[in-house]
Amino acid sequence: MITKDNDRVDHHGPEHRDVSGGWLRPAVFGAMDGLVTNVSLIAGVGGGGGSRHAIVLTGLAGLAAGAFSMAAGEFVSVSSQNELVQAEVDKERHELATNAAAEQIELVGMLRRRGISAATARLAAAEISAHPDKALAVHTFEELGVNPAELPSPFVAAGASLVAFAVGAIIPLLPYAAGSDSLWLALVLAALAAVAGGGMVARLTGRPFWRGALRQLALGALAAGITYLIGVAVGGMAAS
């Protein structure tokens, strides 16, 4: 239903999730990265014969370093991407201001490629071009595939990544924090978290739970297994 200002349309049907990548991608990536990174560190140090104190220290150091590294990386990445998009938007704004006729013809071509008839495309292009802000939004979306008004926030991405990494990284440390020195308990707990996390991500994207769960478990097991063997090898060399 069209509202009184004739510019907004009420949405009917199922609500869509935010797929612009503002927080979901860094949160998912951060949680899984934190889990795999720290369980691998713990497996390596534990495989090398490290004490409970050494494992806890390594795990906490890995948590802090990884969380802040992930946050910094996300902030710089998203900021750089937004700056690149904004530079291209500025170019398009300049073209619309200095070469409006050619840009309108270009818009007609864009609309024609979407299956709109020539007459309708010319009318629509003329109406859109009469409003600079709308013209900029349409040209930007058609040429760059982005909406400059809905760019992801680097602060949100960095915060989501930092918190999610820390949450994932703390899981394999929980047994040691509770006083246990069992490496296998930490590995089992991390495996359960990998299954749960991978499965929930799969369900969120409409895929079968076990497909995502087994994929995440396999990747985590591979990383932890390799670092465990490295730890055993290095620990054996140090002992000889």
Side-chain angles (χ1 to χ4, degrees), residues 174-222:
L174 291 177
Y176 294 97
S180 172
D181 60 356
S182 172
L183 173 60
W184 291 107
L185 182 57
L187 295 177
V188 168
L189 188 60
L192 293 175
V195 168
M200 286 189 292
V201 170
R203 292 301 300 153
L204 187 65
T205 56
R207 293 179 292 112
F209 179 93
W210 288 109
R211 178 180 174 185
L214 293 176
R215 179 179 66 178
Q216 189 60 46
L217 178 62
L219 293 173
L222 178 64

Coordinates of all heavy atoms in Angstrom, one line a residue, residues 174-222:
L174 N 37.5 -23.2 29.0 CA 36.6 -23.3 30.1 C 37.0 -24.5 31.0 O 36.9 -24.3 32.3 CB 35.1 -23.5 29.6 CG 34.5 -22.2 29.0 CD1 33.1 -22.6 28.5 CD2 34.5 -21.1 30.0
P175 N 37.3 -25.7 30.5 CA 37.7 -26.7 31.4 C 38.9 -26.4 32.3 O 39.0 -26.7 33.5 CB 38.0 -27.9 30.5 CG 37.3 -27.6 29.3 CD 37.3 -26.1 29.1
Y176 N 39.9 -25.7 31.7 CA 41.1 -25.3 32.4 C 40.7 -24.2 33.5 O 41.3 -24.2 34.6 CB 42.2 -24.8 31.5 CG 42.7 -25.8 30.6 CD1 42.2 -26.0 29.3 CD2 43.7 -26.7 31.0 CE1 42.7 -27.0 28.4 CE2 44.2 -27.7 30.2 CZ 43.7 -27.8 28.9 OH 44.1 -28.8 28.1
A177 N 39.8 -23.3 33.1 CA 39.4 -22.3 34.1 C 38.7 -22.9 35.3 O 38.7 -22.4 36.4 CB 38.5 -21.3 33.4
A178 N 38.0 -24.1 35.0 CA 37.3 -24.8 36.1 C 38.2 -25.6 36.9 O 37.8 -26.3 37.9 CB 36.2 -25.6 35.5
G179 N 39.5 -25.7 36.6 CA 40.5 -26.5 37.4 C 40.9 -27.8 36.8 O 41.8 -28.5 37.3
S180 N 40.4 -28.1 35.6 CA 40.7 -29.4 34.9 C 42.0 -29.2 34.1 O 42.4 -28.1 33.7 CB 39.6 -29.8 34.0 OG 40.1 -30.9 33.2
D181 N 42.8 -30.2 34.0 CA 44.0 -30.2 33.1 C 43.8 -31.2 32.0 O 44.8 -31.7 31.4 CB 45.3 -30.4 33.9 CG 45.3 -31.8 34.6 OD1 44.3 -32.5 34.5 OD2 46.3 -32.1 35.2
S182 N 42.6 -31.6 31.6 CA 42.4 -32.5 30.6 C 42.3 -31.9 29.2 O 41.3 -31.1 28.9 CB 41.1 -33.3 30.9 OG 40.7 -34.1 29.8
L183 N 43.2 -32.2 28.3 CA 43.2 -31.6 27.0 C 42.0 -32.2 26.2 O 41.4 -31.5 25.4 CB 44.5 -32.0 26.3 CG 44.6 -31.6 24.8 CD1 44.4 -30.1 24.5 CD2 45.9 -32.1 24.1
W184 N 41.7 -33.5 26.4 CA 40.6 -34.1 25.7 C 39.3 -33.5 26.0 O 38.4 -33.4 25.2 CB 40.6 -35.6 25.9 CG 41.8 -36.2 25.3 CD1 42.9 -36.7 25.9 CD2 42.1 -36.3 23.8 NE1 43.9 -37.2 24.9 CE2 43.4 -37.0 23.7 CE3 41.4 -36.0 22.7 CZ2 43.9 -37.2 22.4 CZ3 41.9 -36.3 21.5 CH2 43.2 -36.9 21.3
L185 N 39.1 -33.1 27.3 CA 37.9 -32.4 27.6 C 37.7 -31.1 26.9 O 36.6 -30.8 26.4 CB 37.8 -32.2 29.1 CG 36.5 -31.6 29.7 CD1 35.3 -32.4 29.4 CD2 36.7 -31.4 31.2
A186 N 38.8 -30.4 26.8 CA 38.8 -29.1 26.0 C 38.5 -29.4 24.5 O 37.7 -28.6 23.9 CB 40.1 -28.4 26.2
L187 N 39.0 -30.4 24.0 CA 38.8 -30.8 22.6 C 37.4 -31.2 22.3 O 36.7 -30.8 21.3 CB 39.8 -31.9 22.1 CG 41.2 -31.5 22.1 CD1 42.1 -32.8 21.7 CD2 41.5 -30.4 21.2
V188 N 36.8 -32.0 23.3 CA 35.4 -32.4 23.1 C 34.5 -31.2 23.2 O 33.5 -31.1 22.4 CB 35.1 -33.4 24.2 CG1 33.5 -33.7 24.2 CG2 35.8 -34.8 23.9
L189 N 34.7 -30.3 24.2 CA 33.9 -29.1 24.3 C 34.0 -28.2 23.0 O 32.9 -27.7 22.6 CB 34.3 -28.3 25.5 CG 33.5 -27.1 25.9 CD1 32.0 -27.6 26.3 CD2 34.1 -26.4 27.1
A190 N 35.2 -28.1 22.5 CA 35.3 -27.3 21.3 C 34.6 -28.0 20.1 O 34.0 -27.3 19.2 CB 36.8 -27.1 21.0
A191 N 34.7 -29.3 20.1 CA 34.0 -30.0 19.0 C 32.5 -29.8 19.1 O 31.8 -29.6 18.0 CB 34.3 -31.5 19.1
L192 N 31.9 -29.9 20.3 CA 30.5 -29.6 20.4 C 30.1 -28.2 20.0 O 29.1 -28.0 19.4 CB 30.1 -29.9 21.9 CG 30.2 -31.3 22.4 CD1 29.9 -31.4 23.9 CD2 29.2 -32.2 21.6
A193 N 31.0 -27.2 20.4 CA 30.7 -25.8 20.0 C 30.8 -25.7 18.5 O 30.0 -24.9 17.9 CB 31.8 -24.9 20.7
A194 N 31.8 -26.4 17.8 CA 31.9 -26.3 16.4 C 30.6 -26.9 15.7 O 30.1 -26.3 14.7 CB 33.1 -27.1 15.9
V195 N 30.1 -28.0 16.2 CA 28.9 -28.6 15.7 C 27.7 -27.6 15.8 O 27.0 -27.4 14.9 CB 28.6 -29.9 16.4 CG1 27.2 -30.4 16.0 CG2 29.6 -31.0 16.0
A196 N 27.6 -27.1 17.0 CA 26.5 -26.2 17.3 C 26.6 -24.9 16.4 O 25.6 -24.5 15.8 CB 26.4 -25.8 18.8
G197 N 27.8 -24.3 16.4 CA 28.0 -23.1 15.6 C 27.8 -23.3 14.1 O 27.1 -22.5 13.5
G198 N 28.5 -24.3 13.6 CA 28.3 -24.6 12.2 C 26.9 -24.9 11.8 O 26.4 -24.5 10.7
G199 N 26.2 -25.7 12.6 CA 24.8 -26.0 12.4 C 23.9 -24.8 12.4 O 23.0 -24.7 11.5
M200 N 24.1 -23.9 13.3 CA 23.2 -22.7 13.4 C 23.5 -21.8 12.2 O 22.5 -21.2 11.7 CB 23.5 -22.0 14.7 CG 22.9 -22.7 15.9 SD 23.0 -21.7 17.5 CE 24.7 -21.6 17.7
V201 N 24.7 -21.7 11.8 CA 25.0 -20.9 10.6 C 24.3 -21.5 9.4 O 23.7 -20.8 8.5 CB 26.5 -20.7 10.4 CG1 26.8 -20.1 9.0 CG2 27.1 -19.9 11.5
A202 N 24.4 -22.8 9.3 CA 23.7 -23.5 8.2 C 22.2 -23.2 8.2 O 21.6 -22.9 7.1 CB 24.0 -25.0 8.2
R203 N 21.6 -23.3 9.3 CA 20.2 -23.1 9.4 C 19.8 -21.6 9.1 O 18.8 -21.4 8.5 CB 19.6 -23.4 10.8 CG 19.7 -24.9 11.1 CD 18.9 -25.7 10.2 NE 17.5 -25.4 10.2 CZ 16.7 -25.5 9.2 NH1 17.1 -26.0 8.0 NH2 15.4 -25.1 9.3
L204 N 20.7 -20.7 9.5 CA 20.4 -19.3 9.2 C 20.4 -19.0 7.8 O 19.7 -18.2 7.3 CB 21.5 -18.5 9.9 CG 21.4 -17.0 9.9 CD1 20.1 -16.5 10.7 CD2 22.6 -16.3 10.5
T205 N 21.2 -19.8 7.0 CA 21.3 -19.6 5.6 C 20.4 -20.5 4.8 O 20.6 -20.7 3.6 CB 22.8 -19.7 5.1 OG1 23.3 -21.0 5.5 CG2 23.6 -18.6 5.7
G206 N 19.6 -21.3 5.5 CA 18.6 -22.1 4.8 C 19.2 -23.5 4.4 O 18.5 -24.2 3.6
R207 N 20.3 -23.9 4.9 CA 20.9 -25.2 4.5 C 20.7 -26.2 5.7 O 20.4 -25.8 6.8 CB 22.4 -25.0 4.2 CG 22.7 -24.2 3.0 CD 24.2 -24.0 2.7 NE 24.8 -23.2 3.7 CZ 25.7 -23.6 4.6 NH1 26.0 -24.9 4.6 NH2 26.2 -22.8 5.5
P208 N 20.9 -27.5 5.4 CA 20.7 -28.5 6.5 C 21.7 -28.3 7.6 O 22.8 -28.0 7.4 CB 21.0 -29.8 5.7 CG 20.7 -29.5 4.3 CD 21.1 -28.1 4.1
F209 N 21.2 -28.5 8.8 CA 21.9 -28.3 10.1 C 23.2 -29.1 10.0 O 24.3 -28.6 10.3 CB 21.1 -28.7 11.3 CG 21.8 -28.5 12.6 CD1 21.8 -27.4 13.3 CD2 22.6 -29.6 13.1 CE1 22.4 -27.2 14.5 CE2 23.3 -29.4 14.3 CZ 23.2 -28.3 15.0
W210 N 23.1 -30.4 9.7 CA 24.3 -31.3 9.8 C 25.3 -31.0 8.7 O 26.5 -31.3 8.9 CB 23.8 -32.7 9.8 CG 23.1 -33.1 11.0 CD1 21.8 -33.4 11.2 CD2 23.8 -33.3 12.3 NE1 21.6 -33.7 12.5 CE2 22.7 -33.6 13.2 CE3 25.1 -33.1 12.8 CZ2 23.0 -33.8 14.6 CZ3 25.3 -33.3 14.1 CH2 24.3 -33.7 15.0
R211 N 24.9 -30.4 7.6 CA 25.9 -30.1 6.6 C 26.9 -29.1 7.1 O 28.1 -29.2 7.0 CB 25.2 -29.6 5.4 CG 26.1 -29.2 4.3 CD 25.4 -28.7 3.1 NE 26.3 -28.1 2.0 CZ 25.9 -27.5 0.9 NH1 24.5 -27.4 0.7 NH2 26.7 -27.1 0.1
G212 N 26.3 -28.0 7.7 CA 27.2 -27.0 8.3 C 28.0 -27.4 9.5 O 29.1 -27.1 9.7
A213 N 27.3 -28.3 10.3 CA 27.9 -28.8 11.6 C 29.1 -29.6 11.2 O 30.2 -29.5 11.8 CB 26.9 -29.5 12.4
L214 N 29.0 -30.6 10.3 CA 30.1 -31.5 10.0 C 31.2 -30.8 9.3 O 32.4 -31.1 9.5 CB 29.5 -32.6 9.1 CG 28.6 -33.6 9.8 CD1 28.0 -34.6 8.9 CD2 29.3 -34.3 11.0
R215 N 30.8 -29.8 8.5 CA 31.9 -29.0 7.8 C 32.8 -28.3 8.8 O 34.0 -28.3 8.7 CB 31.3 -28.0 6.8 CG 32.3 -27.2 6.0 CD 31.7 -26.3 5.1 NE 30.9 -25.2 5.7 CZ 30.2 -24.3 5.0 NH1 30.2 -24.2 3.7 NH2 29.5 -23.4 5.7
Q216 N 32.1 -27.6 9.7 CA 32.8 -26.8 10.8 C 33.7 -27.8 11.7 O 34.8 -27.5 12.0 CB 31.9 -26.0 11.6 CG 32.6 -25.0 12.5 CD 33.5 -24.0 11.8 OE1 33.1 -23.5 10.8 NE2 34.7 -23.8 12.3
L217 N 33.1 -28.9 12.0 CA 33.8 -29.9 12.8 C 35.0 -30.4 12.1 O 36.1 -30.5 12.7 CB 32.8 -31.0 13.2 CG 33.5 -32.2 14.0 CD1 33.9 -31.6 15.4 CD2 32.4 -33.3 14.2
A218 N 34.9 -30.7 10.8 CA 36.0 -31.2 10.1 C 37.1 -30.2 10.0 O 38.3 -30.5 10.1 CB 35.5 -31.6 8.7
L219 N 36.8 -29.0 9.7 CA 37.8 -27.9 9.6 C 38.5 -27.7 10.9 O 39.7 -27.5 11.0 CB 37.2 -26.6 9.1 CG 36.6 -26.6 7.7 CD1 35.9 -25.4 7.4 CD2 37.8 -26.8 6.7
G220 N 37.7 -27.6 12.0 CA 38.3 -27.4 13.3 C 39.2 -28.6 13.7 O 40.3 -28.4 14.3
A221 N 38.7 -29.8 13.4 CA 39.5 -31.0 13.8 C 40.8 -31.1 13.0 O 41.9 -31.5 13.5 CB 38.7 -32.3 13.5
L222 N 40.8 -30.7 11.7 CA 42.0 -30.7 10.9 C 43.0 -29.7 11.5 O 44.2 -30.0 11.7 CB 41.7 -30.3 9.5 CG 42.8 -30.2 8.5 CD1 43.5 -31.5 8.4 CD2 42.4 -29.6 7.2

